[in-house]
Amino acid sequence: MEDIWKRAKLYAEEAAKKSQTLTSTNKIADLVAETAKKSKELALEASKKADQLKVAALKQADQIQIKSISDIIPPQLSSLSIVNSSSSSSVSAASDLEELQKFGITDDLRDFVKGLTSNTFQNFPIQDEAEASDVQTTASNVRKDLNEWQERHATLVLTNVKQISKLRYELCPRVMKERRFWRIYFTLLSTHVAPYEKQYMEEIKCKAEEQIKDEKSTQSALSGENSRSEVTEKNLKSKISTASSAEQDLDTFLLGDLEESDGGADDGDSNFDDDFDKIDNCDIEDEKHLKQATAATG
């Protein structure tokens, strides 16, 4: 393609030079016609060349094989991803089925509700009751005044059993209130759902009893630790009291010896004073006897 454009450029330059040297009008017209003819030839050649390049590009594109995802991903990883996806989906399906079974959404129930119509609900001898307007609802717009099992059953049956969902849409709230609809529903299906509700409530009761036992055991363990700490504290106080009494006994013993020693010293001093008094008395009596003797001889 570049060669064609170069040739066209050179031919245009030569035609321009020739046009400057020509003076006759006829010769200029012939040059213009020749130039136009040559330009068409070059354009046609360029078009053919472009078509050839296009065909070659398409052939090359056909020769390039785009690998599929299965060719890019190794067989081991591919099988692993398939196994993981299938296992996760099977686990999810199993858990869904288990929950449906737990809340009484069985094939028997599905077959039974097929025979229910709007007239069944309208002619049922249960009247609407006065109800509080501030009763909360769940995400599925199920009233919260149902018990725990009934609330979950109602949510599941509305999402899995189209017949009940359709009847509820037709009747509530234009024909009857929500509370009356569910009272009629659970009355009609009591034989189907009552065993599942009873089993669920028993499981809840057992769990509550186990929780109470665990709490009591925890409290008893804590009380045991507290009693042991109290005993330890009492023992410590007893040891402290014993040591204090022993110290007091030692002080009493030591102080008692000192008092006895002081008492003994006082007695010695008194005896010593008595001896001096006796000596003085003897001296006085000797003087008396000497005076009497002197008087007698005189």
Side-chain angles (χ1 to χ4, degrees):
M1 291 292 292
E2 293 181 357
D3 181 57
I4 295 173
W5 295 118
K6 287 181 180 180
R7 287 163 53 192
K9 183 179 179 182
L10 291 175
Y11 186 77
E13 291 175 354
E14 291 177 357
K17 290 179 180 179
K18 288 181 180 180
S19 64
Q20 292 177 358
T21 58
L22 295 176
T23 57
S24 173
T25 304
N26 293 331
K27 291 182 178 181
I28 293 174
D30 293 339
L31 180 61
V32 171
E34 185 180 357
T35 302
K37 182 181 178 181
K38 190 67 175 178
S39 298
K40 289 180 180 180
E41 292 177 356
L42 292 174
L44 182 60
E45 187 177 355
S47 178
K48 291 180 179 180
K49 189 68 175 178
D51 291 339
Q52 292 175 358
L53 292 174
K54 182 179 179 180
V55 172
L58 291 174
K59 288 181 179 180
Q60 187 175 3
D62 292 337
Q63 292 175 357
I64 298 175
Q65 296 179 355
I66 300 176
K67 295 183 178 181
S68 62
I69 297 177
S70 59
D71 293 334
I72 297 173
I73 300 176
Q76 298 84 352
L77 295 179
S78 177
S79 60
L80 181 61
S81 61
I82 293 173
V83 169
N84 289 336
S85 61
S86 61
S87 61
S88 61
S89 61
S90 61
V91 170
S92 177
S95 61
D96 293 341
L97 290 174
E98 183 179 356
E99 185 180 21
L100 292 175
Q101 183 71 22
K102 182 178 182 180
F103 288 93
I105 313 298
T106 61
D107 293 336
D108 292 338
L109 182 140
R110 297 174 191 271
D111 293 336
F112 181 80
V113 298
K114 288 179 181 179
L116 300 179
T117 63
S118 58
N119 291 330
T120 306
F121 282 81
Q122 294 181 49
N123 298 329
F124 198 85
I126 290 180
Q127 300 299 323
D128 283 328
E129 297 179 352
E131 55 186 21
S133 59
D134 58 348
V135 177
Q136 298 180 354
T137 58
T138 64
S140 300
N141 203 25
V142 175
R143 291 177 60 84
K144 294 286 285 186
D145 53 359
L146 302 174
N147 65 37
E148 183 179 351
W149 186 91
Q150 292 175 344
E151 179 186 325
R152 185 56 183 163
H153 173 89
T155 302
L156 291 173
V157 79
L158 288 174
T159 54
N160 292 275
V161 183
K162 293 182 179 180
Q163 179 67 14
I164 299 300
S165 179
K166 180 181 177 182
L167 287 173
R168 178 173 173 266
Y169 177 77
E170 293 175 355
L171 296 172
C172 301
R174 288 170 288 185
V175 178
M176 64 180 63
K177 294 181 180 180
E178 184 86 13
R179 180 179 177 82
R180 182 187 174 192
F181 175 85
W182 288 114
R183 286 183 64 197
I184 295 173
Y185 170 84
F186 283 111
T187 303
L188 290 171
L189 280 85
S190 60
T191 56
H192 294 273
V193 301
Y196 297 96
E197 183 177 0
K198 181 180 179 182
Q199 182 180 358
Y200 179 84
M201 292 304 178
E202 289 177 353
E203 291 177 357
I204 295 296
K205 184 179 179 181
C206 291
K207 289 181 180 179
E209 291 176 353
E210 290 178 358
Q211 185 176 0
I212 292 173
K213 289 181 180 179
D214 293 339
E215 291 178 355
K216 287 184 177 180
S217 61
T218 303
Q219 290 177 358
S220 62
L222 292 174
S223 62
E225 291 179 358
N226 292 333
S227 62
R228 284 196 294 271
S229 63
E230 290 176 359
V231 170
T232 303
E233 185 178 357
K234 288 180 180 180
N235 292 335
L236 182 60
K237 288 182 178 180
S238 176
K239 290 180 180 179
I240 294 173
S241 177
T242 303
S244 177
S245 62
E247 185 177 358
Q248 290 177 358
D249 293 340
L250 180 61
D251 292 340
T252 302
F253 176 75
L254 295 175
L255 290 174
D257 289 344
L258 290 175
E259 289 175 355
E260 291 175 359
S261 299
D262 292 341
D266 292 340
D267 292 340
D269 292 340
S270 61
N271 294 330
F272 188 72
D273 292 337
D274 292 339
D275 292 338
F276 273 104
D277 291 338
K278 288 179 181 180
I279 294 172
D280 291 338
N281 290 331
C282 290
D283 291 340
I284 293 170
E285 289 179 357
D286 290 340
E287 288 180 358
K288 285 180 179 181
H289 289 299
L290 181 60
K291 287 179 179 182
Q292 290 176 359
T294 303
T297 55

